[in-house]
Amino acid sequence: MQKNDRFIRWQEVLREHITFLNNLLLTISVGIVGFCISLLGQDNFNPFCYTKFLFTFGLGVTFISILLGLGTALNRLLDFRKTVEKIKKELKGSYSDDLAEIKESMEIYGKRTWYLFYLQIGTLFVGVLFLMLAFSWIFHTKLF
């Protein structure tokens, strides 16, 4: 097995894992937002003062995590599209300045994907933290 084969194999594993994790985080975020919105419809759920702030902030940040996850997926799709365009040009044998521009944009898409992905993880973490604080204060009589 050549070094290039190993690189390609591990690059594919990395691509599959980031796709899976992005989808998992999106699913968790949508579930959290859905759960919180369903709580707002209940009569016995009345956050007050600082718990209302914590709940609203946590819900908002979790919603931002959903948007960042969708942005990550869309950015990856555009990156794959540029990759296909690059491969087509290489197969045709055209090594022009256009190919250099495509490679440059692919690099930008790749870096942006990781940036958006890390932001998605961070905002989900912050959102869950604030929601946990809000729920622990709202339901402290039932919990302790």
Side-chain angles (χ1 to χ4, degrees), residues 26-134:
L26 268 170
T27 303
I28 291 170
S29 299
V30 169
I32 289 170
V33 168
F35 173 74
C36 290
I37 289 174
S38 72
L39 277 178
L40 292 174
Q42 296 180 0
D43 292 334
N44 61 349
F45 183 74
N46 294 315
F48 56 91
C49 195
Y50 56 89
T51 57
K52 188 179 284 189
F53 167 76
L54 290 173
F55 181 81
T56 305
F57 186 76
L59 184 61
V61 171
T62 305
F63 184 74
I64 290 170
S65 176
I66 293 171
L67 296 177
L68 288 167
L70 292 173
T72 302
L74 180 62
N75 190 68
R76 293 193 67 229
L77 185 63
L78 294 172
D79 188 12
F80 293 152
R81 188 173 177 189
K82 283 291 182 185
T83 302
V84 169
E85 186 179 338
K86 175 189 148 249
I87 292 170
K88 281 183 184 179
K89 288 197 182 285
E90 286 177 344
L91 290 174
K92 288 180 182 177
S94 65
Y95 293 98
S96 62
D97 293 335
D98 192 31
L99 192 60
E101 287 178 23
I102 292 171
K103 287 181 180 181
E104 186 178 316
S105 66
M106 285 173 52
E107 187 175 326
I108 291 169
Y109 281 128
K111 288 179 182 178
R112 190 183 307 150
T113 294
W114 285 103
Y115 181 73
L116 289 169
F117 181 66
Y118 289 137
L119 281 175
Q120 177 190 12
I121 293 171
T123 52
L124 179 60
F125 176 76
V126 170
V128 167
L129 180 68
F130 274 83
L131 287 171
M132 284 176 43
L133 289 172

